mmCIF file of all heavy atoms in Angstrom:
data_model
loop_
_atom_site.group_PDB
_atom_site.id
_atom_site.type_symbol
_atom_site.label_atom_id
_atom_site.label_comp_id
_atom_site.label_asym_id
_atom_site.label_seq_id
_atom_site.Cartn_x
_atom_site.Cartn_y
_atom_site.Cartn_z
ATOM 1 N N ASP A 1144 0.853 -1.195 0.000
ATOM 2 C CA ASP A 1144 0.000 0.000 0.000
ATOM 3 C C ASP A 1144 0.887 1.244 0.000
ATOM 4 O O ASP A 1144 1.433 1.634 1.016
ATOM 5 C CB ASP A 1144 -0.936 0.005 1.203
ATOM 6 C CG ASP A 1144 -1.989 1.094 1.106
ATOM 7 O OD1 ASP A 1144 -1.748 2.120 0.444
ATOM 8 O OD2 ASP A 1144 -3.066 0.916 1.710
ATOM 9 N N GLN A 1145 1.027 1.833 -1.142
ATOM 10 C CA GLN A 1145 1.880 3.005 -1.317
ATOM 11 C C GLN A 1145 1.061 4.270 -1.579
ATOM 12 O O GLN A 1145 1.526 5.215 -2.204
ATOM 13 C CB GLN A 1145 2.870 2.758 -2.468
ATOM 14 C CG GLN A 1145 3.829 1.612 -2.202
ATOM 15 C CD GLN A 1145 4.807 1.966 -1.091
ATOM 16 O OE1 GLN A 1145 5.547 2.930 -1.202
ATOM 17 N NE2 GLN A 1145 4.795 1.194 -0.015
ATOM 18 N N TYR A 1146 -0.165 4.273 -1.082
ATOM 19 C CA TYR A 1146 -1.088 5.369 -1.346
ATOM 20 C C TYR A 1146 -0.478 6.726 -1.006
ATOM 21 O O TYR A 1146 -0.418 7.615 -1.854
ATOM 22 C CB TYR A 1146 -2.385 5.151 -0.561
ATOM 23 C CG TYR A 1146 -3.380 6.256 -0.796
ATOM 24 C CD1 TYR A 1146 -4.213 6.223 -1.908
ATOM 25 C CD2 TYR A 1146 -3.479 7.338 0.067
ATOM 26 C CE1 TYR A 1146 -5.115 7.233 -2.149
ATOM 27 C CE2 TYR A 1146 -4.389 8.354 -0.165
ATOM 28 C CZ TYR A 1146 -5.195 8.301 -1.271
ATOM 29 O OH TYR A 1146 -6.080 9.311 -1.512
ATOM 30 N N TRP A 1147 -0.041 6.930 0.232
ATOM 31 C CA TRP A 1147 0.485 8.236 0.644
ATOM 32 C C TRP A 1147 1.834 8.526 -0.005
ATOM 33 O O TRP A 1147 2.146 9.670 -0.316
ATOM 34 C CB TRP A 1147 0.586 8.325 2.168
ATOM 35 C CG TRP A 1147 -0.755 8.360 2.829
ATOM 36 C CD1 TRP A 1147 -1.296 7.397 3.633
ATOM 37 C CD2 TRP A 1147 -1.739 9.397 2.749
ATOM 38 N NE1 TRP A 1147 -2.549 7.779 4.052
ATOM 39 C CE2 TRP A 1147 -2.847 9.011 3.527
ATOM 40 C CE3 TRP A 1147 -1.783 10.626 2.090
ATOM 41 C CZ2 TRP A 1147 -3.986 9.802 3.669
ATOM 42 C CZ3 TRP A 1147 -2.920 11.411 2.232
ATOM 43 C CH2 TRP A 1147 -3.997 10.995 3.017
ATOM 44 N N ARG A 1148 2.623 7.504 -0.226
ATOM 45 C CA ARG A 1148 3.911 7.708 -0.879
ATOM 46 C C ARG A 1148 3.717 8.222 -2.305
ATOM 47 O O ARG A 1148 4.444 9.094 -2.773
ATOM 48 C CB ARG A 1148 4.730 6.418 -0.885
ATOM 49 C CG ARG A 1148 6.131 6.623 -1.443
ATOM 50 C CD ARG A 1148 6.950 5.317 -1.373
ATOM 51 N NE ARG A 1148 8.244 5.524 -1.952
ATOM 52 C CZ ARG A 1148 8.498 5.518 -3.260
ATOM 53 N NH1 ARG A 1148 7.516 5.313 -4.128
ATOM 54 N NH2 ARG A 1148 9.714 5.707 -3.704
ATOM 55 N N ARG A 1149 2.724 7.700 -2.998
ATOM 56 C CA ARG A 1149 2.440 8.191 -4.354
ATOM 57 C C ARG A 1149 2.097 9.681 -4.337
ATOM 58 O O ARG A 1149 2.503 10.433 -5.225
ATOM 59 C CB ARG A 1149 1.311 7.384 -5.004
ATOM 60 C CG ARG A 1149 1.759 6.028 -5.512
ATOM 61 C CD ARG A 1149 0.718 5.370 -6.406
ATOM 62 N NE ARG A 1149 -0.581 5.201 -5.763
ATOM 63 C CZ ARG A 1149 -0.938 4.135 -5.054
ATOM 64 N NH1 ARG A 1149 -0.091 3.136 -4.887
ATOM 65 N NH2 ARG A 1149 -2.151 4.061 -4.526
ATOM 66 N N HIS A 1150 1.365 10.100 -3.315
ATOM 67 C CA HIS A 1150 1.060 11.530 -3.206
ATOM 68 C C HIS A 1150 2.314 12.344 -2.916
ATOM 69 O O HIS A 1150 2.465 13.460 -3.405
ATOM 70 C CB HIS A 1150 -0.013 11.782 -2.156
ATOM 71 C CG HIS A 1150 -1.362 11.340 -2.627
ATOM 72 N ND1 HIS A 1150 -2.043 11.987 -3.629
ATOM 73 C CD2 HIS A 1150 -2.126 10.291 -2.273
ATOM 74 C CE1 HIS A 1150 -3.176 11.367 -3.857
ATOM 75 N NE2 HIS A 1150 -3.241 10.325 -3.054
ATOM 76 N N MET A 1151 3.214 11.767 -2.141
ATOM 77 C CA MET A 1151 4.474 12.453 -1.869
ATOM 78 C C MET A 1151 5.293 12.591 -3.147
ATOM 79 O O MET A 1151 5.859 13.661 -3.424
ATOM 80 C CB MET A 1151 5.263 11.685 -0.801
ATOM 81 C CG MET A 1151 6.628 12.266 -0.507
ATOM 82 S SD MET A 1151 6.512 13.953 0.146
ATOM 83 C CE MET A 1151 8.239 14.389 0.161
ATOM 84 N N VAL A 1152 5.356 11.544 -3.931
ATOM 85 C CA VAL A 1152 6.097 11.597 -5.197
ATOM 86 C C VAL A 1152 5.501 12.667 -6.107
ATOM 87 O O VAL A 1152 6.219 13.449 -6.733
ATOM 88 C CB VAL A 1152 6.122 10.209 -5.880
ATOM 89 C CG1 VAL A 1152 6.641 10.293 -7.305
ATOM 90 C CG2 VAL A 1152 6.962 9.236 -5.059
ATOM 91 N N ARG A 1153 4.195 12.725 -6.149
ATOM 92 C CA ARG A 1153 3.523 13.744 -6.964
ATOM 93 C C ARG A 1153 3.843 15.154 -6.455
ATOM 94 O O ARG A 1153 4.104 16.063 -7.242
ATOM 95 C CB ARG A 1153 2.022 13.500 -6.940
ATOM 96 C CG ARG A 1153 1.267 14.404 -7.863
ATOM 97 C CD ARG A 1153 -0.154 13.939 -7.970
ATOM 98 N NE ARG A 1153 -0.896 14.892 -8.773
ATOM 99 C CZ ARG A 1153 -2.177 15.115 -8.659
ATOM 100 N NH1 ARG A 1153 -2.865 14.445 -7.766
ATOM 101 N NH2 ARG A 1153 -2.769 15.990 -9.412
ATOM 102 N N LEU A 1154 3.832 15.332 -5.146
ATOM 103 C CA LEU A 1154 4.171 16.626 -4.557
ATOM 104 C C LEU A 1154 5.612 17.003 -4.895
ATOM 105 O O LEU A 1154 5.893 18.141 -5.273
ATOM 106 C CB LEU A 1154 3.958 16.588 -3.041
ATOM 107 C CG LEU A 1154 4.173 17.897 -2.291
ATOM 108 C CD1 LEU A 1154 3.152 18.944 -2.719
ATOM 109 C CD2 LEU A 1154 4.091 17.653 -0.784
ATOM 110 N N LEU A 1155 6.524 16.056 -4.798
ATOM 111 C CA LEU A 1155 7.922 16.308 -5.176
ATOM 112 C C LEU A 1155 8.030 16.705 -6.643
ATOM 113 O O LEU A 1155 8.744 17.652 -6.988
ATOM 114 C CB LEU A 1155 8.783 15.069 -4.925
ATOM 115 C CG LEU A 1155 9.183 14.785 -3.488
ATOM 116 C CD1 LEU A 1155 9.794 13.394 -3.384
ATOM 117 C CD2 LEU A 1155 10.149 15.835 -2.968
ATOM 118 N N ASP A 1156 7.338 15.972 -7.491
ATOM 119 C CA ASP A 1156 7.383 16.270 -8.927
ATOM 120 C C ASP A 1156 6.913 17.680 -9.229
ATOM 121 O O ASP A 1156 7.432 18.341 -10.134
ATOM 122 C CB ASP A 1156 6.542 15.270 -9.717
ATOM 123 C CG ASP A 1156 7.154 13.881 -9.771
ATOM 124 O OD1 ASP A 1156 8.348 13.726 -9.427
ATOM 125 O OD2 ASP A 1156 6.423 12.936 -10.143
ATOM 126 N N MET A 1157 5.932 18.148 -8.477
ATOM 127 C CA MET A 1157 5.368 19.473 -8.723
ATOM 128 C C MET A 1157 6.179 20.591 -8.061
ATOM 129 O O MET A 1157 6.374 21.642 -8.651
ATOM 130 C CB MET A 1157 3.925 19.540 -8.216
ATOM 131 C CG MET A 1157 2.970 18.614 -8.934
ATOM 132 S SD MET A 1157 2.812 18.940 -10.698
ATOM 133 C CE MET A 1157 2.021 20.530 -10.671
ATOM 134 N N GLU A 1158 6.624 20.369 -6.839
ATOM 135 C CA GLU A 1158 7.229 21.446 -6.060
ATOM 136 C C GLU A 1158 8.755 21.456 -6.071
ATOM 137 O O GLU A 1158 9.350 22.504 -5.840
ATOM 138 C CB GLU A 1158 6.734 21.383 -4.612
ATOM 139 C CG GLU A 1158 5.233 21.514 -4.487
ATOM 140 C CD GLU A 1158 4.685 22.789 -5.103
ATOM 141 O OE1 GLU A 1158 5.337 23.850 -4.996
ATOM 142 O OE2 GLU A 1158 3.603 22.730 -5.709
ATOM 143 N N ALA A 1159 9.361 20.319 -6.298
ATOM 144 C CA ALA A 1159 10.825 20.247 -6.288
ATOM 145 C C ALA A 1159 11.279 19.160 -7.254
ATOM 146 O O ALA A 1159 11.824 18.132 -6.857
ATOM 147 C CB ALA A 1159 11.326 19.964 -4.873
ATOM 148 N N PRO A 1160 11.055 19.373 -8.562
ATOM 149 C CA PRO A 1160 11.324 18.307 -9.532
ATOM 150 C C PRO A 1160 12.802 17.972 -9.716
ATOM 151 O O PRO A 1160 13.121 16.851 -10.087
ATOM 152 C CB PRO A 1160 10.716 18.849 -10.830
ATOM 153 C CG PRO A 1160 10.659 20.321 -10.649
ATOM 154 C CD PRO A 1160 10.493 20.570 -9.182
ATOM 155 N N GLY A 1161 13.669 18.898 -9.445
ATOM 156 C CA GLY A 1161 15.091 18.642 -9.631
ATOM 157 C C GLY A 1161 15.818 18.543 -8.314
ATOM 158 O O GLY A 1161 15.267 18.848 -7.255
ATOM 159 N N PRO A 1162 17.071 18.112 -8.376
ATOM 160 C CA PRO A 1162 17.850 18.010 -7.152
ATOM 161 C C PRO A 1162 18.026 19.385 -6.510
ATOM 162 O O PRO A 1162 18.016 20.400 -7.191
ATOM 163 C CB PRO A 1162 19.202 17.443 -7.607
ATOM 164 C CG PRO A 1162 19.202 17.472 -9.088
ATOM 165 C CD PRO A 1162 17.822 17.768 -9.564
ATOM 166 N N GLY A 1163 18.146 19.382 -5.206
ATOM 167 C CA GLY A 1163 18.359 20.639 -4.506
ATOM 168 C C GLY A 1163 17.919 20.548 -3.063
ATOM 169 O O GLY A 1163 17.422 19.515 -2.604
ATOM 170 N N GLY A 1164 18.084 21.649 -2.372
ATOM 171 C CA GLY A 1164 17.804 21.687 -0.944
ATOM 172 C C GLY A 1164 16.349 21.444 -0.598
ATOM 173 O O GLY A 1164 16.054 20.724 0.356
ATOM 174 N N LEU A 1165 15.418 22.044 -1.343
ATOM 175 C CA LEU A 1165 14.006 21.850 -1.030
ATOM 176 C C LEU A 1165 13.617 20.389 -1.209
ATOM 177 O O LEU A 1165 12.972 19.804 -0.342
ATOM 178 C CB LEU A 1165 13.113 22.747 -1.889
ATOM 179 C CG LEU A 1165 11.606 22.553 -1.687
ATOM 180 C CD1 LEU A 1165 11.204 22.810 -0.239
ATOM 181 C CD2 LEU A 1165 10.824 23.444 -2.645
ATOM 182 N N ARG A 1166 13.997 19.794 -2.314
ATOM 183 C CA ARG A 1166 13.654 18.390 -2.563
ATOM 184 C C ARG A 1166 14.206 17.498 -1.460
ATOM 185 O O ARG A 1166 13.502 16.648 -0.921
ATOM 186 C CB ARG A 1166 14.175 17.950 -3.925
ATOM 187 C CG ARG A 1166 13.786 16.518 -4.266
ATOM 188 C CD ARG A 1166 14.291 16.116 -5.657
ATOM 189 N NE ARG A 1166 13.826 14.816 -6.017
ATOM 190 C CZ ARG A 1166 12.662 14.537 -6.591
ATOM 191 N NH1 ARG A 1166 11.824 15.516 -6.877
ATOM 192 N NH2 ARG A 1166 12.316 13.298 -6.882
ATOM 193 N N GLN A 1167 15.464 17.706 -1.095
ATOM 194 C CA GLN A 1167 16.074 16.869 -0.057
ATOM 195 C C GLN A 1167 15.391 17.090 1.285
ATOM 196 O O GLN A 1167 15.154 16.141 2.035
ATOM 197 C CB GLN A 1167 17.570 17.123 0.057
ATOM 198 C CG GLN A 1167 18.275 16.108 0.936
ATOM 199 C CD GLN A 1167 18.082 14.671 0.445
ATOM 200 O OE1 GLN A 1167 18.357 14.349 -0.700
ATOM 201 N NE2 GLN A 1167 17.587 13.796 1.312
ATOM 202 N N SER A 1168 15.033 18.320 1.592
ATOM 203 C CA SER A 1168 14.340 18.601 2.853
ATOM 204 C C SER A 1168 12.965 17.948 2.879
ATOM 205 O O SER A 1168 12.525 17.445 3.919
ATOM 206 C CB SER A 1168 14.202 20.108 3.064
ATOM 207 O OG SER A 1168 15.474 20.682 3.276
ATOM 208 N N MET A 1169 12.286 17.947 1.747
ATOM 209 C CA MET A 1169 10.983 17.289 1.674
ATOM 210 C C MET A 1169 11.128 15.775 1.854
ATOM 211 O O MET A 1169 10.352 15.153 2.584
ATOM 212 C CB MET A 1169 10.302 17.608 0.346
ATOM 213 C CG MET A 1169 9.843 19.056 0.233
ATOM 214 S SD MET A 1169 9.264 19.497 -1.428
ATOM 215 C CE MET A 1169 7.748 18.521 -1.520
ATOM 216 N N ILE A 1170 12.111 15.182 1.214
ATOM 217 C CA ILE A 1170 12.358 13.739 1.351
ATOM 218 C C ILE A 1170 12.714 13.413 2.799
ATOM 219 O O ILE A 1170 12.196 12.445 3.378
ATOM 220 C CB ILE A 1170 13.454 13.276 0.370
ATOM 221 C CG1 ILE A 1170 12.936 13.354 -1.068
ATOM 222 C CG2 ILE A 1170 13.935 11.864 0.714
ATOM 223 C CD1 ILE A 1170 14.005 13.184 -2.130
ATOM 224 N N ASP A 1171 13.592 14.229 3.385
ATOM 225 C CA ASP A 1171 13.966 14.006 4.785
ATOM 226 C C ASP A 1171 12.749 14.126 5.702
ATOM 227 O O ASP A 1171 12.593 13.343 6.644
ATOM 228 C CB ASP A 1171 15.046 14.997 5.220
ATOM 229 C CG ASP A 1171 16.387 14.751 4.543
ATOM 230 O OD1 ASP A 1171 16.600 13.674 3.945
ATOM 231 O OD2 ASP A 1171 17.237 15.672 4.608
ATOM 232 N N GLY A 1172 11.879 15.100 5.426
ATOM 233 C CA GLY A 1172 10.668 15.266 6.218
ATOM 234 C C GLY A 1172 9.751 14.056 6.112
ATOM 235 O O GLY A 1172 9.222 13.567 7.114
ATOM 236 N N PHE A 1173 9.550 13.562 4.900
ATOM 237 C CA PHE A 1173 8.716 12.379 4.693
ATOM 238 C C PHE A 1173 9.296 11.182 5.443
ATOM 239 O O PHE A 1173 8.572 10.487 6.170
ATOM 240 C CB PHE A 1173 8.619 12.064 3.198
ATOM 241 C CG PHE A 1173 7.743 10.883 2.878
ATOM 242 C CD1 PHE A 1173 6.382 11.043 2.725
ATOM 243 C CD2 PHE A 1173 8.287 9.616 2.716
ATOM 244 C CE1 PHE A 1173 5.560 9.949 2.428
ATOM 245 C CE2 PHE A 1173 7.486 8.530 2.414
ATOM 246 C CZ PHE A 1173 6.115 8.698 2.270
ATOM 247 N N ASN A 1174 10.588 10.950 5.290
ATOM 248 C CA ASN A 1174 11.229 9.813 5.951
ATOM 249 C C ASN A 1174 11.183 9.948 7.474
ATOM 250 O O ASN A 1174 10.975 8.966 8.188
ATOM 251 C CB ASN A 1174 12.663 9.654 5.466
ATOM 252 C CG ASN A 1174 12.724 9.185 4.024
ATOM 253 O OD1 ASN A 1174 11.774 8.622 3.490
ATOM 254 N ND2 ASN A 1174 13.849 9.439 3.370
ATOM 255 N N SER A 1175 11.361 11.157 7.972
ATOM 256 C CA SER A 1175 11.280 11.398 9.409
ATOM 257 C C SER A 1175 9.870 11.125 9.923
ATOM 258 O O SER A 1175 9.690 10.499 10.969
ATOM 259 C CB SER A 1175 11.692 12.840 9.702
ATOM 260 O OG SER A 1175 11.540 13.133 11.061
ATOM 261 N N GLY A 1176 8.866 11.589 9.192
ATOM 262 C CA GLY A 1176 7.483 11.329 9.580
ATOM 263 C C GLY A 1176 7.158 9.846 9.572
ATOM 264 O O GLY A 1176 6.486 9.336 10.475
ATOM 265 N N PHE A 1177 7.650 9.141 8.560
ATOM 266 C CA PHE A 1177 7.442 7.699 8.463
ATOM 267 C C PHE A 1177 8.051 6.998 9.681
ATOM 268 O O PHE A 1177 7.410 6.148 10.314
ATOM 269 C CB PHE A 1177 8.054 7.166 7.168
ATOM 270 C CG PHE A 1177 7.874 5.695 6.972
ATOM 271 C CD1 PHE A 1177 6.706 5.198 6.414
ATOM 272 C CD2 PHE A 1177 8.867 4.802 7.335
ATOM 273 C CE1 PHE A 1177 6.533 3.831 6.224
ATOM 274 C CE2 PHE A 1177 8.702 3.433 7.155
ATOM 275 C CZ PHE A 1177 7.532 2.947 6.602
ATOM 276 N N ALA A 1178 9.289 7.356 10.017
ATOM 277 C CA ALA A 1178 9.967 6.738 11.159
ATOM 278 C C ALA A 1178 9.239 7.057 12.466
ATOM 279 O O ALA A 1178 9.086 6.191 13.329
ATOM 280 C CB ALA A 1178 11.415 7.210 11.219
ATOM 281 N N TYR A 1179 8.779 8.297 12.606
ATOM 282 C CA TYR A 1179 8.056 8.692 13.802
ATOM 283 C C TYR A 1179 6.794 7.845 13.983
ATOM 284 O O TYR A 1179 6.522 7.345 15.074
ATOM 285 C CB TYR A 1179 7.693 10.184 13.725
ATOM 286 C CG TYR A 1179 6.831 10.647 14.869
ATOM 287 C CD1 TYR A 1179 7.408 10.988 16.093
ATOM 288 C CD2 TYR A 1179 5.449 10.736 14.743
ATOM 289 C CE1 TYR A 1179 6.628 11.405 17.155
ATOM 290 C CE2 TYR A 1179 4.662 11.154 15.797
ATOM 291 C CZ TYR A 1179 5.251 11.489 17.006
ATOM 292 O OH TYR A 1179 4.472 11.893 18.055
ATOM 293 N N ALA A 1180 6.025 7.690 12.926
ATOM 294 C CA ALA A 1180 4.802 6.885 12.999
ATOM 295 C C ALA A 1180 5.125 5.444 13.384
ATOM 296 O O ALA A 1180 4.396 4.832 14.162
ATOM 297 C CB ALA A 1180 4.045 6.937 11.676
ATOM 298 N N GLY A 1181 6.233 4.924 12.864
ATOM 299 C CA GLY A 1181 6.627 3.554 13.192
ATOM 300 C C GLY A 1181 7.022 3.386 14.651
ATOM 301 O O GLY A 1181 6.766 2.339 15.255
ATOM 302 N N ARG A 1182 7.635 4.414 15.218
ATOM 303 C CA ARG A 1182 7.991 4.349 16.641
ATOM 304 C C ARG A 1182 6.756 4.502 17.530
ATOM 305 O O ARG A 1182 6.666 3.881 18.585
ATOM 306 C CB ARG A 1182 9.009 5.441 16.994
ATOM 307 C CG ARG A 1182 10.405 5.181 16.471
ATOM 308 C CD ARG A 1182 11.423 6.164 17.033
ATOM 309 N NE ARG A 1182 11.063 7.569 16.846
ATOM 310 C CZ ARG A 1182 11.347 8.296 15.761
ATOM 311 N NH1 ARG A 1182 11.994 7.746 14.747
ATOM 312 N NH2 ARG A 1182 10.998 9.565 15.702
ATOM 313 N N LEU A 1183 5.834 5.326 17.114
ATOM 314 C CA LEU A 1183 4.659 5.626 17.923
ATOM 315 C C LEU A 1183 3.594 4.535 17.838
ATOM 316 O O LEU A 1183 2.942 4.227 18.834
ATOM 317 C CB LEU A 1183 4.060 6.960 17.469
ATOM 318 C CG LEU A 1183 2.994 7.585 18.336
ATOM 319 C CD1 LEU A 1183 3.535 7.884 19.737
ATOM 320 C CD2 LEU A 1183 2.500 8.870 17.692
ATOM 321 N N HIS A 1184 3.431 3.951 16.681
ATOM 322 C CA HIS A 1184 2.384 2.941 16.463
ATOM 323 C C HIS A 1184 3.033 1.634 16.050
ATOM 324 O O HIS A 1184 3.532 1.500 14.944
ATOM 325 C CB HIS A 1184 1.405 3.411 15.377
ATOM 326 C CG HIS A 1184 0.750 4.707 15.720
ATOM 327 N ND1 HIS A 1184 -0.296 4.801 16.600
ATOM 328 C CD2 HIS A 1184 1.015 5.971 15.320
ATOM 329 C CE1 HIS A 1184 -0.654 6.057 16.728
ATOM 330 N NE2 HIS A 1184 0.122 6.795 15.953
ATOM 331 N N ARG A 1185 2.974 0.675 16.931
ATOM 332 C CA ARG A 1185 3.595 -0.629 16.670
ATOM 333 C C ARG A 1185 2.588 -1.667 16.177
ATOM 334 O O ARG A 1185 2.975 -2.740 15.745
ATOM 335 C CB ARG A 1185 4.296 -1.126 17.919
ATOM 336 C CG ARG A 1185 5.339 -0.138 18.417
ATOM 337 C CD ARG A 1185 6.608 -0.842 18.740
ATOM 338 N NE ARG A 1185 7.601 0.097 19.203
ATOM 339 C CZ ARG A 1185 8.670 0.408 18.501
ATOM 340 N NH1 ARG A 1185 8.857 -0.124 17.322
ATOM 341 N NH2 ARG A 1185 9.558 1.247 18.986
ATOM 342 N N GLN A 1186 1.317 -1.363 16.281
ATOM 343 C CA GLN A 1186 0.287 -2.270 15.777
ATOM 344 C C GLN A 1186 -0.864 -1.461 15.205
ATOM 345 O O GLN A 1186 -1.093 -0.330 15.592
ATOM 346 C CB GLN A 1186 -0.206 -3.212 16.881
ATOM 347 C CG GLN A 1186 -0.750 -2.505 18.101
ATOM 348 C CD GLN A 1186 -1.171 -3.493 19.167
ATOM 349 O OE1 GLN A 1186 -1.956 -4.408 18.871
ATOM 350 N NE2 GLN A 1186 -0.677 -3.336 20.376
ATOM 351 N N CYS A 1187 -1.539 -2.073 14.252
ATOM 352 C CA CYS A 1187 -2.688 -1.425 13.636
ATOM 353 C C CYS A 1187 -3.888 -1.619 14.559
ATOM 354 O O CYS A 1187 -4.358 -2.728 14.752
ATOM 355 C CB CYS A 1187 -2.970 -2.023 12.254
ATOM 356 S SG CYS A 1187 -4.337 -1.190 11.418
ATOM 357 N N ASN A 1188 -4.314 -0.534 15.140
ATOM 358 C CA ASN A 1188 -5.474 -0.564 16.029
ATOM 359 C C ASN A 1188 -6.249 0.736 15.838
ATOM 360 O O ASN A 1188 -5.925 1.536 14.955
ATOM 361 C CB ASN A 1188 -5.036 -0.781 17.483
ATOM 362 C CG ASN A 1188 -4.013 0.249 17.933
ATOM 363 O OD1 ASN A 1188 -3.982 1.384 17.440
ATOM 364 N ND2 ASN A 1188 -3.168 -0.130 18.881
ATOM 365 N N SER A 1189 -7.263 0.930 16.656
ATOM 366 C CA SER A 1189 -8.089 2.124 16.485
ATOM 367 C C SER A 1189 -7.290 3.408 16.701
ATOM 368 O O SER A 1189 -7.546 4.416 16.038
ATOM 369 C CB SER A 1189 -9.309 2.073 17.402
ATOM 370 O OG SER A 1189 -8.906 2.034 18.758
#
């Protein structure tokens, strides 16, 4: 299930299509958010 990741890729394509600081910061933000959710939620529940 890559639903949200696909939206992130689309956002990158629109807002930071080439290499640079904004693109890297957006990627770092996405990865940081992903890691945070994994630490906070260890099981799928309500």
Side-chain angles (χ1 to χ4, degrees):
D1144 190 334
Q1145 297 291 301
Y1146 180 84
W1147 291 113
R1148 185 177 178 280
R1149 283 192 303 271
H1150 287 291
M1151 176 62 187
V1152 169
R1153 186 170 175 208
L1154 184 64
L1155 283 169
D1156 289 346
M1157 296 299 293
E1158 300 303 322
L1165 177 59
R1166 183 178 185 86
Q1167 190 58 54
S1168 293
M1169 290 171 69
I1170 291 169
D1171 291 346
F1173 182 86
N1174 290 339
S1175 176
F1177 181 84
Y1179 175 82
R1182 287 189 306 273
L1183 191 61
H1184 301 281
R1185 303 226 180 249
Q1186 57 182 307
C1187 183
N1188 55 28
S1189 61

